């Protein structure tokens, strides 16, 4: 039993509401919202005058302790979720990777055992399916209904490593769709990209920029179109992860216009950075090697427009923190592995801490998004899309008291020297933003107060989720 928490005079902003009120939290849930609630001596009282009160951010795409064989991401479940909390994210969905010959359930159990004692915010998993056979398919209904994993990622890229065939995608879509599950696709034409990579390397084109040049936008568009058509035939919803290219977005729009339940997320790096970042001197450009790669400015404009008009439903980070330099935290597999061969640069970039402030400043302050839409994209739609609403993603009586007090007038400068991730760089070094997280509550417990950490490893709870993709 914890003390009641009273948050006074905050401007409560949800995906649809915007009003000033007092909010009472009891036993981790929102107990009451009213114009005025009398404080009592046993209550912990917070003055939120001048602050926004937002539902805790939900980042549905992170990779903590992700082992790609060659390289591992540097954030543990503890450090990565703490960084998330400092950025106003109170729930993450991470990944459990099914190895070849491994059962998906086993992959989930292993990840759960790793994450549970460490997580500082609430968490769940998508299972990455790599080995589709009658045995693994037969486990999926129980994973969805008993374990609460209602979303599964599959790769159309990385042949010989993670890529699966169209037939296996189709089989999996039908198997999970029938039980309330959804397939999330990494959509790029892996075989064609492999041809381009081999050609580039044979010509001596080894620098990081060729990572982008060998992964063309239309090969993302082609795979996106193919994935949506497979889902259409299987009659199930489908979710495109880390969408970056204008042409891929066009495919999603075309399908949605026909009434197909096709959904997509994009990530801050595609909104704020561009292919020009690969022209940075020396090996600096390796920091920006993620998949899909950064695109031209016209894609940024299309993505912002897509966020505004609900062609894109979610902003996630794809936080995938590989160090730039060797060994700052005992890991000796960093971006430096790709010196002399861009294909060996681990694909991924960090960002879990900066999603809310970036989107607030670049979206709301710049007049591209309304405040309500900002909340929709960062919290409510993720909760609805992945079976956590209304426990999460809402400020309503009975919802978890995952709350962010956000100061819209507080400036900040992003830097790896002050961020909380273990990774040794940020893509947003020196970005000046207006708007900063002031306090964060996880189920009513204050875990962040300014720069102070008040949470504990292990306090994050595993989220058993309901059906995914059943939203309009
Ligand atoms: N896809 C991801 O979602 N994250 C990292 C690398 C990748 O290819
Ligand atoms: Zn991916
Ligand atoms: Zn990812």
């Amino acid at each position: 039993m914890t003390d009641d928490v009273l948050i006074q005079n905050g401007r409560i902003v949800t995906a649809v509401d915007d009003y000033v009120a007092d909010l009472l939290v009891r036993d981790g849930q929102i107990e009451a919202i009213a114009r005025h609630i009398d404080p009592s001596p046993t209550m912990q009282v917070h003055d939120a005058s001048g602050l926004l009160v937002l539902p805790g951010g939900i980042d549905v795409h992170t990779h903590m302790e992700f082992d790609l064989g060659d390289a591992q991401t540097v954030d543990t479940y503890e450090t990565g979720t703490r960084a998330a909390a400092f950025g106003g994210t109170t729930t993450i969905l991470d990944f459990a990777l099914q190895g070849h010959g491994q059962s998906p359930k086993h992959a989930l159990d292993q990840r759960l055992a790793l994450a549970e004692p460490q997580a500082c915010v609430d968490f769940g998993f998508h299972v990455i399916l790599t080995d589709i056979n009658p045995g693994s398919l037969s486990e999926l209904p129980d994973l969805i209904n008993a374990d609460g994993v209602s979303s599964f990622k599959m790769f159309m890229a990385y042949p010989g490593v993670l890529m699966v065939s169209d037939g296996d995608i189709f089989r999996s879509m039908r198997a999970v769709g029938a039980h309330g599950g959804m397939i999330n696709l990494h959509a790029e034409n892996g075989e064609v990209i492999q041809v381009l990579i081999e050609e580039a390397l044979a010509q001596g084109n080894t620098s990081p920029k060729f990572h982008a040049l060998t992964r063309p936008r239309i090969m993302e568009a082609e795979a996106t179109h193919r994935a949506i058509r497979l889902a259409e035939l299987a009659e199930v919803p489908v979710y495109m992860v880390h969408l970056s290219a204008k042409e891929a977005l066009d495919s999603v729009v075309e399908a949605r216009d026909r009434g197909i339940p096709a959904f997509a997320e994009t990530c801050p790096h595609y909104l704020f950075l561009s292919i020009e970042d690969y022209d940075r001197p020396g090996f600096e450009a390796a920091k920006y090697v993620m998949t899909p790669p950064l695109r031209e400015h016209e894609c940024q404009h299309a993505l912002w427009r897509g966020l505004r008009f609900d062609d894109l439903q979610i902003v996630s980070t794809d936080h995938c923190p590989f160090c730039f330099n060797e060994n700052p935290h005992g890991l000796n597999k960093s971006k430096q592995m790709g010196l002399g061969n861009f294909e060996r640069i681990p694909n991924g970039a960090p960002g879990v801490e900066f999603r809310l402030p970036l989107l607030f400043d670049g979206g709301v302050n710049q007049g591209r998004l309304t405040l309500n839409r900002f909340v929709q994209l960062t919290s409510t739609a993720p909760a609805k899309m992945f079976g956590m609403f209304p426990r999460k993603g809402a400020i309503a009586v009975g919802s978890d008291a995952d709350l962010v007090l956000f100061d819209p007038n507080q400036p900040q400068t992003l830097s790896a020297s002050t961020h909380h991730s273990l990774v040794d760089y940020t893509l947003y070094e020196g970005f000046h933003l207006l708007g900063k997280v002031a306090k964060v509550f996880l189920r009513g417990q204050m875990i962040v107060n300014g720069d102070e950490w008040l949470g504990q490893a292990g306090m994050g709870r595993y989220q058993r989720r309901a059906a995914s993709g059943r939203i309009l």
Side-chain angles (χ1 to χ4, degrees), residues 90-385:
T90 51
T91 304
I92 64 162
L93 294 184
D94 203 86
F95 291 88
L97 172 65
Q98 175 205 19
H100 284 277
Q102 194 188 42
S103 105
K105 168 74 173 151
H106 180 66
L108 173 68
D109 289 346
Q110 276 187 325
R111 279 276 125 175
L112 257 176
L114 189 61
E116 215 150 27
Q118 297 192 66
C120 302
V121 301
D122 287 353
F123 66 99
F125 295 102
H126 316 276
V127 169
I128 299 175
L129 298 173
T130 62
D131 194 350
I132 306 305
N133 56 58
S136 55
L137 286 175
S138 71
E139 289 184 13
L140 301 183
D142 261 10
L143 273 176
I144 298 167
N145 295 314
D147 297 300
V149 173
S150 57
S151 46
F152 300 83
K153 181 177 179 184
M154 301 183 88
F155 283 83
M156 302 169 89
Y158 306 122
V161 189
L162 296 167
M163 190 169 108
V164 288
S165 69
D166 290 353
D168 281 345
I169 292 171
F170 182 64
R171 267 188 209 100
S172 307
M173 282 175 166
R174 286 218 288 216
V176 307
H179 296 272
M182 179 168 71
I183 299 291
N184 305 349
L185 270 314
H186 175 127
E188 288 184 302
N189 186 316
E191 290 198 0
V192 171
I193 285 169
Q194 207 52 41
V195 172
L196 298 177
I197 291 172
E198 278 158 28
E199 275 178 11
L201 291 174
Q203 290 163 8
N205 293 322
T206 59
S207 68
K209 180 155 198 174
F210 285 90
H211 170 74
L213 297 180
T214 55
R215 308 189 88 91
R217 285 155 50 177
I218 55 171
M219 287 301 95
E220 184 186 348
E222 184 279 325
T224 302
H225 176 77
R226 189 161 25 108
I228 292 172
R229 286 299 197 181
L230 295 176
E232 192 177 341
L233 190 65
E235 298 184 19
V236 295
V238 65
Y239 182 85
M240 314 313 302
V241 297
H242 49 47
L243 189 145
S244 67
K246 178 180 178 299
E247 295 78 359
L249 180 58
D250 290 342
S251 283
V252 174
V253 171
E254 184 273 335
R256 290 175 64 76
D257 283 350
R258 288 189 297 111
I260 302 298
F263 308 107
E265 66 179 21
T266 191
C267 312
H269 39 263
Y270 302 122
L271 296 166
F272 290 90
L273 306 168
S274 80
I275 193 164
E276 289 162 19
D277 285 295
Y278 297 113
D279 293 326
R280 287 171 184 266
F283 198 55
E284 273 289 293
K287 293 177 178 174
Y288 300 80
V289 168
M290 76 285 287
T291 318
L294 298 174
R295 305 297 193 185
E296 287 75 5
H297 287 283
E298 63 172 325
C299 291
Q300 292 178 339
H301 300 309
L303 295 176
W304 278 114
R305 188 183 184 286
L307 291 175
R308 185 178 175 128
F309 292 110
D310 204 40
D311 300 330
L312 292 161
Q313 289 71 45
I314 288 177
V315 177
S316 69
T317 62
D318 197 2
H319 179 72
C320 195
F322 295 108
C323 282
F324 182 63
N325 291 303
E326 287 300 302
N327 224 0
H329 304 287
L331 287 180
N332 58 3
K333 300 285 178 62
S334 70
K335 295 275 184 185
Q336 306 297 327
M337 286 198 308
L339 266 174
N341 180 348
F342 69 85
E343 199 187 8
R344 302 213 59 223
I345 302 171
N347 289 188
V352 75
E353 193 167 341
F354 298 143
R355 184 178 63 124
L356 263 60
L358 279 168
L359 210 65
F360 181 82
D361 190 60
V364 179
N365 289 344
Q366 299 303 316
R368 293 174 172 127
L369 303 173
T370 65
L371 253 181
N372 297 122
R373 184 71 188 151
F374 163 76
V375 173
Q376 174 83 10
L377 290 165
T378 54
S379 177
T380 309
K384 288 184 174 176
M385 187 72 72

